[in-house]
Amino acid sequence: MKLKQTLRQWLVDLLGHRDDRFYWRQPLGAITLPANARLCLWQPDGKLGDAIVTSMLLCDLAAQRPDVKVTVVVEPGLQSFWRALPQVQEALSCRQGRASLLEAIGACDVFVSFETFLSLETLLLLRALHPAVAIGYNVGRYRIFDRSLVCTSYEWPRKHIAARLQNLCELLSLQHLGSNPLPEVLPSHRTDRSTLPAHPGPTVFLNTHAAGADRTFNASTVAWLIKELHSAGPQARILLSVPGAERPDWLARIQALPPSARSAVALTPDNTSLWEMMWLVQQCDMVVSPDTAVVHVAAALNKPVVAFYRDRAYNPLVWAPLGPHHRQVLPNGTEPCSVNDFDPEAAAQALHGMLHAAATWRPVRPTHHADLPD
């Protein structure tokens, strides 16, 4: 296995023309996209939160270069998200073969890779495409890239992930407007079962899970959050999002709550789709979540959010929500630990303050007659 990895890296270094003298942030100046340019966004290792932030580029293009045609290559689970966004001609799966990808992408004026470390698969695709301009993080200092983006993981002081969009817009001779396309496209994806009934008080979307146990709320933390939210806003409705396999356990836990809190808590519909989850967030007045994609969905929809982190030095800086109304709850320790290791007093202050503020920002929503699921 080690020999195979060494050989693959040797091939990448050889075919990518690695040159340690080549400064990976070498400023080569901005380019002007030709009329009806074809732009390919390559994001094979990106997740939903990454896609939410990256999609802001489409608003910049729509406002300043509506003639540009965009193709994105992403994980299969994100294709439906990208296909719904303006200016995206096609959203392709990064899992399909290189030959079919080349045929689907066709001619390419600008290729932008958001892959942190150049992989052999990306390199071979890039060499076969022959784009006029290739842009990437280029941490490895490869001359196959014409221009390099800000890499928030390898610069100090650390920058927010959105800094790469500012940098990319500068390279493409665009002004970064800071807008997100999600609020405009989301209403067309609403479903009856994901439409909430009217409620006199604020509604809180409480997401419990993320990738990894250290980024997921445990049962004790969720119970504490429900108690604090109910204490801060007795009229608040709490919409609890849990993994499908844990629904029976959480139904039992909800039934064990005191009557006043029990009536305020409901689970999200079972097996919610990506779009249903985002529509539920859109209808809520506040979001509480570990550091995961839900935080960035809330920020894109301008929802107040309280985000819990497992570390203090990286994710709270690089992946902070972009929305203007957010509070971050950091762990007690300085090393990466767990979202469940926090100061209860500081967390309670963040929850109470944001819930009270959310009640004042709360818009008037139309009345819906659907019932909340059990």
Side-chain angles (χ1 to χ4, degrees), residues 249-268:
D249 293 337
W250 278 107
L251 285 171
R253 291 184 181 119
I254 291 173
Q255 291 302 314
L257 293 172
S260 58
R262 184 194 316 152
S263 60
V265 181
L267 294 181
T268 58

Side-chain angles (χ1 to χ4, degrees), residues 64 96-97 199:
Q64 301 165 65
Q96 63 189 88
H199 184 71

